[in-house]
C-alpha cells in the first residue's frame, strides 16, 4: 500500500491562487491595474484630503509593475494626510498579539527639500489609531527605495473595518507629491517563510498529513496562451512578479509562486507533483507543434529549478533563494485537464515526454487526458483522472474517465468505490488528481451545488476512498478539489477547507480526508469486496503491529459488519467514530457541527472474529493491535499482559504503579472489566452481575457490590467485607436496591441473555439509573446474530444451560441499548460458542459479545451518595408469610444482620444448585412458609439448622461455597 495516497491539489478558484493563502493582508499596487479608472483604486482610500490616483509610472519600480500610486498632499491641513487600504474584500483583521511586517517602495517624482516621517500603521474606518511605527522619508529620493517596518497594534478594534495606512503630517507635507508602489502587509507566516502561507490555513493543510502536493493547480496552467502560468514569473523578489489574470476571472499576484510551493511541500513532508504547461490553454488555443520548442525549454528550466544542480542557471537561482539542495520531485504532469481538448494532445505529449524523459530519466511523467483516450505514444505509465459526482452515482465506463460538467452528483462516489477494480495490472498507475461529492441533484448537479460539504457528501467520498485503498497498488495518490474556499469570494463549491478573515473552517470532507490520511497502512489486506449498491463499505490495511479497518455506513440505519481473520489475533482495539445527520455541515455558522469523537481503546480479549454495528451516517476507524491470546482466565494472567489490558482501558503508567501487586487486571471474560473500567478513586463503586465467573479484587477498590457466590469466595480470601464489598440478592426483573447515580461501573457476565425481553429492558433501565453520569457498563454475554429457527433454538438450549430463549437479535439489542439512553455502544465479538454437533456451526447464529457503553455526562465532583446501597441487607427477599416460630427472639434475624442472636442459621439455597444432594440437608429442616419461587423453573427453599451460626461454621466452615460471611 502506498504511503502517499492522500494528495492535495493547490486551488485556483475561490480567490485562492497566490492571494489570501499567502498570508498577505492588503492589495498590491501596480499589478496590471487599470490606470485612470475607478476600478484602479478599489480598496484604496484617501485620508485627510489627500488626492490619490493610479498612474502609469514615469519610472516603473520594475518591468513587472508598470503602474504606481500617486499621492498629492494638499495645503492648509494640520491633521495627518495620506492613504489607506481596506484589505481584501474590505476586511482587515488587526490582532494585538501579532507583529506585522509592512513594506513599500516610494520616490519623489521631483526632488524636494522635504524631510519628515511617515506614520505606518493601522486605524479604524473612523480614524482611531490602533498602533503605528514611523519611517523617515526624504524629498531627495527620486529613485525607488524600499522601506520595511514592523508594526505591532496596541489597541484591539471592535471589528474588521480597518485600514492599513500611511500618513504624513499635514502641515509639513503640504504641496508634496510622492509615488508609492509594491505596498505589502504580512502578519507572521507559516514557518516564518518570506511570502509564506497564512498560518492557520497552512496548519490545517499540514493537519491532513498529505503524501503529495499537486501544483500549480488544475486550470492555473493557463486560460490563454498569453496568460498562462509561467514559473519564472513567480520566483524571486515579489517586485519582479507581474501577476496575471487568472483562469477564474481575478488577478493572481503570484506571491505564492513555484519556490513557495516547493518550500511548503517540503515543510509538511508532502512529495511535490509539478505541472508544466504543454501548449494547450483552456480557451481552446493550442501551440502549433513546430512552435513547441520554447515551451518545452521553459518546462526544462522549470524542472531544473526544482531538481537541477547548482551548475545550471535555474539551480543556481534556487540556491540564491536559500535552497541549494534539489527538492524531492518525482512526478511531472504534462499539461492539465487535457481531456477538454485532447485532439492535439497526442502530438504534444509525444514531443514533451520524449525530450523531458531524455533530460530527466529519473522522473515519472503523468498524462493529463482521459485514460487511453486518446491513445498516447509513448504509452503513459501514469494517468491523472478527475472524478466529480454525487455521493452515490456518476457516469463511468471501464477505464474511461468522465469530467461531467466540471463536477456532478453526490451519490456516485459510493457506488464507484469499485471504479478501479477492473483496471489492468500492467504497470500503469493512476493519480486521482481531483474528485469530490458536490451535489445531490441527479438532473443537473451544477445547478444545485452544495455550498459546504455535508456528512452525506463526505461519506460518499469515504466510501469511494475505501476503493482507492483497495486499489492502492495502481492508485498512488488522490486529491479532493477544490482544496480552499475564501467564503468572501466563493466561485466553486463545495471545498475541503473554507476560510474568512478570522477563521478556518474544516469541513466534514476535511475530517474524512484526515482520518484516512492519518490512519493509512503500509500494506493493503485483501477482504470481501463491498456491494457498490449497498450502504456499507470498508477497507483493511496493515502497518505493524496494527490492522486498520475503515468502515463507512452511508445509510440512515445502523448496519452490522463481521470481520473474520484466519491468522490475526486482536488483543486491543482503538475506535474513532465520525458520524452525524446526513445534512450536517461545518460552516461559518456551525463550524464544529460534526467532528470526530475522541479515540477510545478497549481490550478485545484475543479474537480472530468480531462484529461491529456501524452507526448511521458514519465513518469508523478501528485500529486493531495484534496480541497473543492468554488462556489463563482461571489461574490469572501475567502482570505485563494485565497491565497492557488496563492501559488499553485508559490507565496511565503512574496509576498502574500504585496498584497492589496482588491485583489481577486481566482475568478472562468478565473478569478484566472490573479493574479496566474502574480507576483508582476513593469510594468508587462497582456493581457486578456475574454467573459462574471469578474475579479478584484488591484494597484499592473501595466499594464493590455484586451477585455471585464464586465472587464471594474470592472476596472472602482477601478479607473483603461490607461496606468495602457487598453482595446483594435481587430479581433482575425488579428495581435494584441501589441508590441512583451512585455507581461508577457495572459489569455483567452471561446473565442478561437469561432474561426475557422485558427483563433485559429493566436491567438496562436500572443500570442507567444507578450509574453516575459518565459511568460505564461492560456486558460479556451471549447474543444472537440473527433470529434463531425453532430447531436450532431448541438444539442450542439443550446444549448450553443458559439457553437462548431470551436472546435478542444483535441489532435489536443494540437499539435497545440506545433506547435506554446508553451512548457510544460497541459490540466486540469474543469466543464463539462450541459446536453442539459436528455438522452445526453455532457461530453463524450466535456468539459471545462484550458490550461497552457510557452514561452521558461527566462524573460529579461533589454531592455523590455516601452509600451505594439503600441498606445492603434490603436486597434480600422480604418474608411474605407470617413469621415462623423458629425466627422469634431466640433466633437470628432473617433480615437484620446487626442482631446478635446466633441460635439458628437460616440458609437459602436454590434448587438448581443441587441443594438436596448436599449432606447437610438431612440435618436441616425446611422452614414452612419461607420457600418461594425464584423464577421460571427455579424454586428456592429456606433451611434452619440447630446450633445456629456457630454450629454451622464448625461443620461447614471449610466449604466456602456454603458460607456467606455477610
Amino acid at each position: 500500500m502506498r504511503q502517499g495516497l492522500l494528495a492535495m491539489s493547490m486551488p485556483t478558484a475561490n480567490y485562492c491562487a497566490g492571494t489570501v493563502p499567502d498570508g498577505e493582508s492588503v492589495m498590491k499596487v501596480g499589478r496590471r491595474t487599470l490606470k485612470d479608472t475607478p476600478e484602479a483604486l478599489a480598496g484604496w482610500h484617501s485620508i485627510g484630503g489627500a488626492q490619490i490616483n493610479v498612474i502609469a509610472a514615469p519610472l516603473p519600480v520594475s518591468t513587472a509593475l508598470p503602474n504606481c500610486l500617486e499621492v498629492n498632499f494638499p495645503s492648509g491641513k494640520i491633521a495627518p494626510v495620506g492613504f489607506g487600504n481596506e484589505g481584501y474584500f474590505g476586511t482587515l483583521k488587526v490582532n494585538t498579539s501579532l507583529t506585522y511586517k509592512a513594506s513599500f517602495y516610494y520616490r519623489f517624482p521631483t526632488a524636494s527639500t522635504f524631510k519628515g516621517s511617515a506614520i505606518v500603521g493601522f486605524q479604524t474606518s473612523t480614524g482611531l489609531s490602533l498602533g503605528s511605527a514611523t519611517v523617515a522619508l526624504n524629498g531627495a529620493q527620486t529613485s525607488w527605495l524600499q522601506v520595511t517596518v514592523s508594526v505591532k497594534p496596541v489597541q484591539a478594534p471592535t471589528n474588521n473595518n480597518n485600514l492599513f495606512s500611511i500618513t504624513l503630517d499635514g502641515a509639513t507635507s503640504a504641496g508634496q507629491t510622492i509615488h508609492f508602489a509594491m505596498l505589502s502587509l504580512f502578519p507572521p507566516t507559516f514557518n516564518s517563510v518570506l511570502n509564506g502561507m497564512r498560518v492557520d490555513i497552512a496548519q490545517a493543510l499540514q493537519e491532513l498529513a498529505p503524501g503529495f502536493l499537486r501544483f500549480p493547480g488544475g486550470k492555473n496552467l493557463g486560460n490563454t496562451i498569453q496568460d498562462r502560468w509561467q514559473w519564472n514569473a513567480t520566483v524571486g523578489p515579489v517586485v519582479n512578479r507581474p501577476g496575471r489574470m487568472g483562469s477564474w476571472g481575478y488577478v493572481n499576484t503570484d506571491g505564492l509562486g513555484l519556490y513557495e510551493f516547493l518550500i511548503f511541500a517540503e515543510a509538511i513532508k508532502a512529495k511535490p507533483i509539478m505541472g508544466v504547461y504543454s501548449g494547450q490553454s483552456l480557451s481552446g488555443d493550442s501551440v502549433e507543434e513546430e512552435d513547441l520548442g520554447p515551451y518545452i525549454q521553459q518546462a526544462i528550466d522549470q524542472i531544473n529549478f526544482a531538481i537541477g544542480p547548482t551548475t545550471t542557471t535555474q539551480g543556481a537561482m534556487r540556491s540564491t533563494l536559500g535552497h541549494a539542495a534539489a527538492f524531492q520531485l518525482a512526478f511531472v504532469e504534462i499539461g492539465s485537464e487535457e481531456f477538454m481538448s485532447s485532439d492535439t494532445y497526442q502530438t504534444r505529449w509525444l514531443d514533451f515526454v520524449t525530450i523531458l524523459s531524455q533530460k530527466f530519466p529519473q522522473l515519472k511523467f503523468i498524462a493529463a487526458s482521459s485514460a487511453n483516450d486518446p491513445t498516447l505514444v509513448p504509452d503513459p505509465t501514469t494517468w491523472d483522472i478527475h472524478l466529480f459526482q454525487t455521493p452515490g452515482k456518476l457516469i463511468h465506463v471501464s477505464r474511461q474517465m468522465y469530467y461531467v460538467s466540471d463536477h456532478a452528483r453526490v451519490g456516485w462516489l459510493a457506488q464507484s468505490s469499485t471504479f478501479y477494480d477492473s483496471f489492468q495490472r500492467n504497470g500503469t498507475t493512476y493519480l486521482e488528481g481531483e474528485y469530490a461529492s458536490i451535489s445531490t441533484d441527479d438532473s443537473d448537479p451544477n445547478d444545485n451545488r452544495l455550498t459546504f460539504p455535508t456528512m452525506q457528501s463526505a461519506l460518499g467520498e469515504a466510501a469511494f476512498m475505501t476503493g482507492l485503498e483497495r486499489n492502492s497498488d495502481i492508485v498512488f495518490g488522490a486529491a479532493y478539489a477544490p482544496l480552499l474556499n475564501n467564503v468572501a469570494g466563493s466561485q466553486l463549491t463545495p471545498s475541503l477547507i473554507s476560510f474568512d478573515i478570522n477563521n478556518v473552517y474544516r469541513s466534514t470532507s476535511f475530517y474524512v480526508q484526515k482520518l484516512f490520511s492519518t490512519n493509512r497502512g503500509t500494506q493493503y489486506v485483501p477482504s470481501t469486496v463491498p456491494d457498490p449498491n449497498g450502504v456499507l463499505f470498508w477497507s483493511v490495511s496493515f502497518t505493524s503491529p496494527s490492522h486498520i479497518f475503515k468502515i463507512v455506513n452511508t445509510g440512515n440505519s445502523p448496519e452490522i459488519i463481521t470481520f473474520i481473520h484466519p491468522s490475526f489475533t486482536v488483543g486491543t482495539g482503538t475506535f474513532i467514530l465520525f458520524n452525524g445527520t446526513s445534512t450536517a455541515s461545518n460552516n461559518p455558522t456551525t463550524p464544529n457541527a460534526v467532528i470526530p469523537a475522541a479515540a477510545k481503546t478497549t481490550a478485545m480479549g484475543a479474537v480472530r472474529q468480531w462484529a461491529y454495528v456501524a452507526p448511521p451516517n458514519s465513518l469508523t476507524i478501528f485500529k486493531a493491535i495484534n496480541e497473543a491470546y492468554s488462556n489463563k482466565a482461571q489461574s490469572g494472567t501475567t502482570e505485563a499482559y494485565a497491565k497492557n489490558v488496563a492501559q488499553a482501558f485508559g490507565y496511565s503508567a503512574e496509576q498502574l504503579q500504585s496498584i497492589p501487586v496482588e491485583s489481577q487486571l486481566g482475568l478472562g471474560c468478565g473478569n478484566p472489566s472490573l479493574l479496566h473500567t474502574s480507576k483508582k478513586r476513593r469510594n468508587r463503586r462497582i456493581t457486578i452481575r456475574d454467573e459462574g465467573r471469578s474475579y479478584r479484587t484488591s484494597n484499592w477498590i473501595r466499594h464493590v457490590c455484586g451477585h455471585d457466590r464464586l465472587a464471594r469466595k474470592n472476596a472472602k480470601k482477601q478479607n473483603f467485607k461490607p461496606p468495602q464489598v457487598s453482595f446483594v440478592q435481587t430479581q433482575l426483573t425488579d428495581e435494584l436496591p441501589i441508590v441512583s447515580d451512585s455507581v461508577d461501573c457495572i459489569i455483567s457476565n452471561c446473565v442478561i441473555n437469561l432474561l426475557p425481553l422485558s427483563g433485559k429492558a429493566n436491567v438496562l433501565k436500572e443500570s442507567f439509573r444507578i450509574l453516575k453520569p459518565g459511568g460505564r457498563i461492560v456486558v460479556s454475554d451471549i447474543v444472537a446474530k440473527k433470529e434463531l429457527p425453532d430447531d436450532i433454538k431448541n438444539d442450542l438450549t439443550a446444549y448450553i444451560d443458559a439457553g437462548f430463549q431470551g436472546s435478542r437479535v444483535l441489532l435489536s439489542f443494540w437499539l435497545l441499548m440506545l433506547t435506554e439512553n446508553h451512548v457510544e455502544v460497541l459490540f466486540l465479538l469474543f469466543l464463539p460458542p462450541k459446536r453442539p454437533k459436528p455438522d452445526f456451526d453455532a457461530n453463524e447464529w450466535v456468539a459471545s459479545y462484550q458490550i461497552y457503553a457510557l452514561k452521558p455526562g461527566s462524573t460529579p465532583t461533589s454531592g455523590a451518595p455516601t452509600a451505594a446501597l439503600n441498606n445492603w441487607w434490603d436486597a434480600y427477599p422480604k418474608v411474605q408469610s407470617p413469621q415462623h416460630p423458629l425466627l422469634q427472639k431466640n433466633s437470628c434475624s432473617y433480615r437484620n444482620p446487626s442482631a446478635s442472636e446466633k441460635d439458628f442459621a437460616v440458609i437459602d439455597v436454590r434448587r438448581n444448585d443441587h441443594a438436596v444432594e448436599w449432606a447437610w440437608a438431612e440435618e436441616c429442616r425446611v422452614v414452612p412458609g419461607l420457600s418461594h419461587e425464584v423464577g421460571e423453573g427455579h424454586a428456592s427453599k429456606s433451611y434452619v439448622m440447630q446450633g445456629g451460626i456457630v454450629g454451622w461454621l464448625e461443620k461447614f466452615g471449610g466449604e466456602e461455597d456454603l458460607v456467606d460471611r455477610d
Side-chain angles (χ1 to χ4, degrees), residues 234-272:
T234 72
V235 298
V238 291
V239 71
N240 294 326
R241 304 184 193 185
R244 61 195 176 85
M245 182 58 66
S247 303
W248 287 92
Y250 65 91
V251 174
N252 293 180
T253 66
D254 287 329
L256 190 65
L258 176 58
Y259 183 73
E260 287 79 20
F261 280 133
L262 290 166
I263 286 291
F264 180 64
E266 187 175 70
I268 64 174
K269 297 180 172 58
K271 298 177 181 178

Side-chain angles (χ1 to χ4, degrees), residues 89-157:
F89 300 101
T91 56
L92 181 60
K93 182 180 180 180
V94 178
N95 189 331
T96 57
S97 66
L98 302 179
T99 298
Y100 295 77
K101 178 182 178 181
S103 66
F104 60 90
Y105 287 80
Y106 86 95
R107 64 179 289 268
F108 283 76
T110 302
S112 165
T113 59
F114 175 83
K115 289 185 179 181
S117 297
I119 301 173
V120 181
F122 301 98
Q123 61 180 266
T124 67
S125 58
T126 59
L128 175 66
S129 176
L130 301 173
S132 63
T134 60
V135 294
L137 301 184
N138 193 325
Q141 186 68 44
T142 57
S143 60
W144 288 103
L145 177 68
Q146 185 180 26
V147 175
T148 300
V149 62
S150 295
V151 182
K152 184 173 178 59
V154 295
Q155 183 168 338

Side-chain angles (χ1 to χ4, degrees), residues 851-863:
I851 305 161
Y852 173 87
L854 299 176
K855 181 173 179 176
S858 58
T859 303
T861 56
S862 62

Side-chain angles (χ1 to χ4, degrees), residues 220-243:
N220 208 18
L221 283 179
N223 196 40
T224 67
I225 296 175
Q226 181 181 3
D227 279 333
R228 72 187 186 276
W229 184 89
Q230 301 184 62
W231 76 271
N232 46 297
T234 72
V235 298
V238 291
V239 71
N240 294 326
R241 304 184 193 185

Side-chain angles (χ1 to χ4, degrees), residues 896-911:
N896 190 350
S898 63
S900 59
E901 292 86 349
K902 299 182 180 180
D903 294 337
F904 297 91
V906 180
I907 306 95
D908 182 43
V909 182
R910 289 192 295 179
R911 177 166 294 169

Side-chain angles (χ1 to χ4, degrees), residues 73-77 170 173-175:
F73 293 84
S75 300
K77 301 292 182 179
S173 63

Side-chain angles (χ1 to χ4, degrees), residues 185-407:
L185 176 70
F186 271 92
T189 61
F190 182 69
N191 286 354
S192 300
V193 172
L194 182 67
N195 305 319
M197 295 278 288
R198 185 173 132 177
V199 173
D200 54 353
I201 296 176
Q203 289 174 338
L205 297 176
Q206 184 181 41
E207 192 177 320
L208 288 168
F212 295 99
L213 180 67
R214 175 175 171 262
F215 59 84
K219 296 183 178 180
N220 208 18
L221 283 179
N223 196 40
T224 67
I225 296 175
Q226 181 181 3
D227 279 333
R228 72 187 186 276
W229 184 89
Q230 301 184 62
W231 76 271
N232 46 297
T234 72
V235 298
V238 291
V239 71
N240 294 326
R241 304 184 193 185
R244 61 195 176 85
M245 182 58 66
S247 303
W248 287 92
Y250 65 91
V251 174
N252 293 180
T253 66
D254 287 329
L256 190 65
L258 176 58
Y259 183 73
E260 287 79 20
F261 280 133
L262 290 166
I263 286 291
F264 180 64
E266 187 175 70
I268 64 174
K269 297 180 172 58
K271 298 177 181 178
I273 298 177
M274 187 173 70
V276 297
Y277 181 73
S278 67
Q280 175 75 40
S281 295
L282 297 175
S283 63
D285 296 334
S286 295
V287 178
E288 296 295 332
E289 184 176 10
E290 59 268 22
D291 298 327
L292 284 176
Y295 299 90
I296 296 175
Q297 183 59 51
Q298 192 173 36
I300 294 172
D301 294 343
Q302 180 180 337
I303 297 172
N304 267 327
F305 179 83
I307 63 173
T310 55
T311 54
T312 64
T313 301
Q314 298 75 30
M317 182 187 304
R318 181 189 69 241
S319 180
T320 61
L321 295 176
H323 202 287
F327 289 100
Q328 298 300 309
L329 179 68
F331 293 93
V332 171
E333 186 165 0
I334 308 299
S336 177
E337 301 180 357
E338 298 289 344
F339 46 80
M340 302 183 73
S341 302
S342 59
D343 53 338
T344 64
Y345 191 54
Q346 290 170 298
T347 56
R348 290 184 287 111
W349 165 265
L350 174 63
D351 292 342
F352 268 82
V353 80
T354 298
I355 296 175
L356 293 180
S357 60
Q358 291 175 352
K359 291 283 187 179
F360 308 101
Q362 73 275 33
L363 296 181
K364 296 180 180 179
F365 296 95
I366 303 173
S369 66
S370 300
N372 290 336
D373 183 19
T375 301
L376 300 179
V377 178
D379 190 14
T381 58
T382 303
W383 298 85
D384 178 5
I385 294 182
H386 295 189
L387 297 171
F388 293 86
Q389 258 296 352
T390 68
K393 294 182 180 178
L394 182 82
I395 303 169
H396 67 94
V397 179
S398 183
R399 295 185 59 176
Q400 296 292 338
M401 184 283 300
Y402 290 81
Y403 196 86
V404 185
S405 301
D406 258 350
H407 306 73

